[in-house]
Amino acid sequence: KFLFQGLMEYNKQSPKVNWKLSLIGLRREEVKTNLMLMSESVIKKIDLLELVSDKQLAKLYLNADFLLFPSKSEGFGVPLIEAMAANIKIISSNSSVMPTVCEDVAYYFSPYKISEFIEVIDTSIKFIAQPAKSRVHYQKNYCNYRFKENFEKIAEQLDGIN
């Protein structure tokens, strides 16, 4: 519900911004209920994808500008790791394991504050609008390093469980 409220508010505050969102793996009935409360202008910007193959998922990551991850709880953070591996910016809630997995690679927001969500979306869209040269610098010099470092930390923690 938070995601849909945030998107409605963002669209109201920034009606001229052209955005598109692909929602993957959501419960269909929950989404339909929330979509009924949204304006047609927002609904047109959302693609609902229930199950996607690994190949389709890889293509979605490669064509994405960022991963939007508003989860309040997450067991491991696989989508976050996938996004880092694909070198795309991450917009994530600041709860559960998200800050541990992404550290300072992501833009964070409270999953209880719509105003923070809107601010982070706006900042991310401004990032996307930067010249490609700036974005490549981020991807090559920061994201790959952080992904490797965080993955190694997670692997060490998993080894310690046995």
Side-chain angles (χ1 to χ4, degrees):
K1 189 172 180 177
F2 174 87
L3 173 64
F4 296 103
Q5 291 172 338
L7 292 174
M8 283 289 292
E9 188 59 33
Y10 178 74
N11 202 59
K12 188 187 315 178
Q13 290 182 21
S14 306
K16 294 183 180 182
V17 175
N18 186 18
W19 58 271
K20 190 78 173 165
L21 179 68
S22 295
L23 293 176
I24 303 168
L26 294 176
R27 287 167 270 179
R28 192 59 125 174
E29 291 306 313
E30 183 180 323
V31 171
K32 283 182 184 177
T33 302
N34 285 302
L35 285 176
M36 287 189 294
L37 305 172
M38 300 180 84
S39 69
E40 189 175 326
S41 64
V42 175
I43 292 171
K44 288 179 181 178
K45 297 179 178 189
I46 300 173
D47 289 330
L48 299 177
L49 307 168
E50 282 189 57
L51 298 174
V52 296
S53 67
D54 289 343
K55 189 175 182 178
Q56 290 170 310
L57 184 60
K59 186 176 180 179
L60 287 164
Y61 275 120
L62 291 173
N63 291 310
D65 288 313
F66 53 81
L67 170 72
L68 177 57
F69 202 72
S71 181
K72 291 180 183 174
S73 63
E74 178 69 19
F76 187 71
V78 171
L80 301 169
I81 293 169
E82 291 170 339
M84 286 188 281
N87 288 324
I88 61 171
K89 193 66 182 153
I90 298 169
I91 301 170
S92 175
S93 70
N94 61 4
S95 61
S96 189
V97 301
M98 282 62 97
T100 303
V101 172
C102 297
E103 292 182 343
D104 52 359
V105 171
Y107 290 120
Y108 293 104
F109 63 89
S110 167
Y112 304 100
K113 295 182 180 176
I114 298 287
S115 60
E116 283 185 22
F117 175 79
I118 291 167
E119 183 179 328
V120 168
I121 294 290
D122 193 52
T123 300
S124 299
I125 288 174
K126 287 176 182 170
F127 170 79
I128 292 164
Q130 290 179 2
K133 186 169 72 173
S134 298
R135 293 173 67 190
V136 170
H137 173 77
Y138 162 80
Q139 291 171 343
K140 287 185 178 176
N141 294 327
Y142 192 71
C143 196
N144 287 334
Y145 167 76
R146 286 307 213 185
F147 172 73
K148 183 178 182 219
E149 183 181 284
N150 286 336
F151 188 78
E152 287 171 352
K153 284 182 188 177
I154 292 167
E156 286 175 16
Q157 291 174 354
L158 290 174
D159 284 344
I161 293 173
N162 293 331

